[in-house]
Amino acid sequence: MIVYLIISLIVSFAVTVGIGLVLVPALRRMKAGQSIREDGPVWHNKKEGTPTMGGIMFIGGITVAVLAVGFREMLEGRFGHIAILVFALVYAGIGMFDDYCKLKKKQNLGLTARHKFILQLMVALSFVLIMHLQGNLTTELYVPFFSVMLNIPWPIYYIFATFVIIGTVNSVNITDGVDGLASGVTVPVAICIMALAFVWGHTTVGIFSAALLGGLIAFLIFNFYPAKVFMGDTGSLFLGGAVCALAFAMDIPLLLITLGFVYFVETMSDIIQIGYFKLTKGKRVFKMAPLHHHFEMSGWSEYKVFAVFTTVSAIFAAISFFGVFRSY
C-alpha cells in the first residue's frame, strides 16, 4: 500500500505543477483577477487582480492521480476514492460558478448566501443518501479518544451528517483568507487521514489523501506569500468537500472537531464577532473577523499567520492521530 501512496502523491504533485505553469499565465491573459473585499484589511488591496480559480490546478492533479493510481482498485470493485472525488468535484463546481459570478460582476460578491446554502444542502443530502444506499454508511458513530460507538437513528444521522458537511465546507472556505493559509492548514489534515488509512488498511482513502497532500504541496509553490494565484471558491469548496468525504469514508466524522480545529476556530470567530456586534449594537470582540484578520490587524505578517496556523493544525492533527490510533 505504501507504494500506492507514494506514487499517488508524486503524480498529483507533478500534474499540479504542470497545470500551474500553464494555467497561471492563462488566467492572467484572461484577466481572471480576484476582486478584494472592501471591508477587508486595506493592505490586501495590492492583491487586486491576482488570478483566482487556481484551485483547478490541484483539482486536476488530484483527479489524475486518483484515477491512475486507483485504477486497479476500480477493477477489483472498490470505488471509495471515486465517491470521494465526485463529491469534492461537485462542491468545486459550486465554487467555480461562484467564482465566475464574481469575475462577471467584477466584485467580491458571487452567489447569495441563500443560494449557496441550498446548493450545498442538496449535495450533502445526496451524498449521504447515496453512501447509505450503497451500504458505505452505518448509523454507528465512532467517538474518538473514547473508543465508543453510538448507534443513532437514520433521520438523526442524516441531520448530523448534513450539518457536519455544510459546516466543514464553509469553515474551509472562511479559512482561505491569507496567502497559502487554507492549503497550509489542510496539509496536516491530509497527512493524518493518510496515516490512519495506512494503519487501518483503507487503500482507496489512502490513495485520495496522498493525492490531496501532493496537490496541496505543489499548489503552495504558486500560492505561498506573495501569492501568484488564489485557489478561489473553486479550490476551497473542493478542499472542504474532500476533507468531509474522507472523514465519512473512514467513519470518523467526529474527529473533525480536533482534526479541523483551525477551521472550527476561524468559523467561531466569525460567528462570535457578528453575534456580539448585533447584540451590543456596534461593539466588536476581534479587531476583524475571521481570526486570521484579527492577527493581521495586530501586526502579524501573512507569513507569520501562515506559519502559526499551520503549526497549530499540525499539532491537532497529531493529537487526532494518536488519540484515535490508541483508542481504536
Side-chain angles (χ1 to χ4, degrees):
M1 180 178 175
I2 188 67
V3 175
Y4 286 139
L5 301 187
I6 294 173
I7 295 175
S8 182
L9 191 155
I10 293 174
V11 170
S12 181
F13 178 90
V15 174
T16 300
V17 171
I19 294 175
L21 293 174
V22 176
L23 181 65
V24 175
L27 289 172
R28 289 200 186 108
R29 289 194 298 272
M30 293 167 59
K31 301 186 185 302
Q34 175 75 49
S35 296
I36 305 301
R37 286 176 50 187
E38 295 179 359
D39 58 345
V42 294
W43 53 87
H44 279 204
N45 291 337
K46 64 183 179 182
K47 300 181 181 185
E48 184 84 27
T50 301
T52 188
M53 298 175 72
I56 293 172
M57 294 162 51
F58 59 77
I59 292 172
I62 292 168
T63 300
V64 171
V66 167
L67 293 177
V69 183
F71 185 70
R72 182 177 175 180
E73 298 297 312
M74 288 187 280
L75 291 179
E76 295 177 356
R78 292 187 287 271
F79 298 94
H81 52 316
I82 303 302
I84 296 169
L85 177 63
V86 170
F87 179 69
L89 285 174
V90 173
Y91 268 106
I94 297 174
M96 184 175 290
F97 184 67
D98 192 33
D99 285 334
Y100 172 76
C101 291
K102 292 175 184 176
L103 291 172
K104 188 176 181 180
K105 296 177 182 178
K106 298 296 181 183
Q107 59 184 11
N108 195 257
L109 293 172
L111 293 170
T112 64
R114 180 184 177 185
H115 289 154
K116 275 187 183 179
F117 176 78
I118 292 173
L119 288 172
Q120 291 179 15
L121 179 63
M122 291 171 59
V123 175
L125 285 172
S126 298
F127 173 73
V128 177
L129 177 62
I130 291 171
M131 293 287 281
H132 177 196
L133 294 176
Q134 291 182 342
N136 294 322
L137 280 182
T138 68
T139 57
E140 289 188 337
L141 194 63
Y142 175 69
V143 181
F145 306 100
F146 297 97
S147 194
V148 174
M149 300 295 291
L150 298 179
N151 202 322
I152 59 179
W154 269 115
I156 296 177
Y157 189 89
Y158 267 75
I159 296 171
F160 161 77
T162 303
F163 174 80
V164 170
I165 291 171
I166 294 177
T168 302
V169 169
N170 285 287
S171 294
V172 176
N173 183 240
I174 288 173
T175 304
D176 182 34
V178 171
D179 292 359
L181 187 59
S183 305
V185 167
T186 306
V187 163
V189 175
I191 293 173
C192 177
I193 296 177
M194 182 177 67
L196 287 174
F198 175 75
V199 172
W200 295 343
H202 289 269
T203 306
T204 56
V205 172
I207 289 171
F208 189 97
S209 52
L212 177 62
L213 177 59
L216 289 176
I217 294 173
F219 183 66
L220 278 170
I221 296 174
F222 302 88
N223 187 234
F224 188 72
Y225 181 82
K228 301 178 183 66
V229 66
F230 299 140
M231 69 171 64
D233 283 1
T234 303
S236 63
L237 293 190
F238 176 91
L239 289 185
V243 169
C244 282
L246 286 168
F248 276 97
M250 294 279 284
D251 285 327
I252 50 172
L254 285 179
L255 190 66
L256 290 173
I257 297 173
T258 53
L259 187 57
F261 178 77
V262 174
Y263 307 145
F264 176 75
V265 171
E266 287 272 67
T267 301
M268 287 307 300
S269 68
D270 224 14
I271 294 172
I272 291 170
Q273 183 85 323
I274 294 171
Y276 190 74
F277 183 86
K278 291 181 177 179
L279 188 65
T280 60
K281 295 181 171 50
K283 294 184 179 180
R284 293 176 170 84
V285 175
F286 305 102
K287 294 181 179 180
M288 185 177 290
L291 192 60
H292 56 259
H293 285 327
H294 169 79
F295 286 113
E296 279 192 281
M297 296 291 286
S298 299
W300 286 23
S301 65
E302 289 194 49
Y303 175 79
K304 184 175 181 179
V305 171
F306 170 88
V308 172
F309 278 49
T310 300
T311 299
V312 171
S313 180
I315 292 171
F316 275 88
I319 292 172
S320 300
F321 174 79
F322 288 109
V324 174
F325 179 62
R326 290 181 61 185
S327 62
Y328 196 81

